[in-house]
Amino acid sequence: MQKSFDVGQKLFFDVLIICLVSFIYFKIVPMNKITLFIGILICVFYFGVNFYTGYKYNLTTTEALFVGIMGCGLGIFLSFFAVYTNFILQTPVRAIWITIPYLAPTTPIIELFIKDISILYVFQLMFINILLVIFGSFSRKIMNKLAP
């Protein structure tokens, strides 16, 4: 349990740093093709960190689930406020605005494919990140079995 807590804490701070850097980057730099290309690299790095964390540490499925949930801590924290703002205060635009720091690494996906984002996108992103950690740990186990 201590191992999964330490790995989850490391993943949380890695994701936090990536989210803050990409949030500042996309707020300062105007959106054009070069910015979008760099944003795609940030997005791939963001998802890659989640996958690599599951791959690097030899985690069981339960540990990988726990680490993935801890890695999504920023999204969980911001989603509480967003859900309150969306359903109690009835202001869905502010709910999305609250979660923008967590959504910042996926700005190219939002710009290219999603025209109207809702609060569900935050939960979908958290689900994807948790699955990436689990798939990373599964791929590590598969690679260990294939190695002679």
Side-chain angles (χ1 to χ4, degrees):
M1 188 65 176
Q2 184 65 33
K3 175 185 169 184
S4 60
F5 182 75
D6 292 340
V7 174
Q9 184 178 9
K10 181 179 177 350
L11 180 62
F12 172 78
F13 285 111
D14 289 345
V15 168
L16 180 66
I17 290 169
I18 293 169
C19 287
L20 290 177
V21 167
S22 63
F23 177 72
I24 292 169
Y25 174 75
F26 286 117
K27 288 296 178 188
I28 292 175
V29 180
M31 189 61 72
N32 56 27
K33 289 184 180 180
I34 296 171
T35 307
L36 200 61
F37 177 73
I38 294 171
I40 290 171
L41 294 177
I42 292 171
C43 186
V44 168
F45 181 70
Y46 173 66
F47 288 132
V49 164
N50 287 297
F51 180 81
Y52 182 69
T53 299
Y55 183 81
K56 181 179 178 183
Y57 301 97
N58 198 6
L59 303 171
T60 65
T61 305
T62 309
E63 290 174 338
L65 180 66
F66 182 73
V67 168
I69 291 171
M70 280 188 68
C72 295
L74 178 65
I76 293 168
F77 176 73
L78 293 176
S79 68
F80 282 129
F81 295 111
V83 167
Y84 174 78
T85 304
N86 191 27
F87 294 113
I88 305 299
L89 299 179
Q90 298 293 321
T91 53
V93 174
R94 282 191 189 160
I96 297 301
W97 182 79
I98 289 171
T99 59
I100 289 295
Y102 185 68
L103 302 177
T106 61
T107 300
I109 294 173
I110 295 169
E111 291 287 326
L112 293 175
F113 301 113
I114 304 171
K115 298 304 175 200
D116 295 325
I117 62 172
S118 69
I119 197 161
L120 291 177
Y121 182 67
V122 177
F123 295 103
Q124 291 169 349
L125 187 60
M126 286 188 286
F127 183 71
I128 289 169
N129 288 336
I130 293 169
L131 282 180
L132 282 171
V133 175
I134 294 171
F135 288 150
S137 69
F138 281 159
S139 63
R140 172 66 178 243
K141 290 177 184 178
I142 291 170
M143 294 302 289
N144 285 342
K145 287 187 180 189
L146 292 177

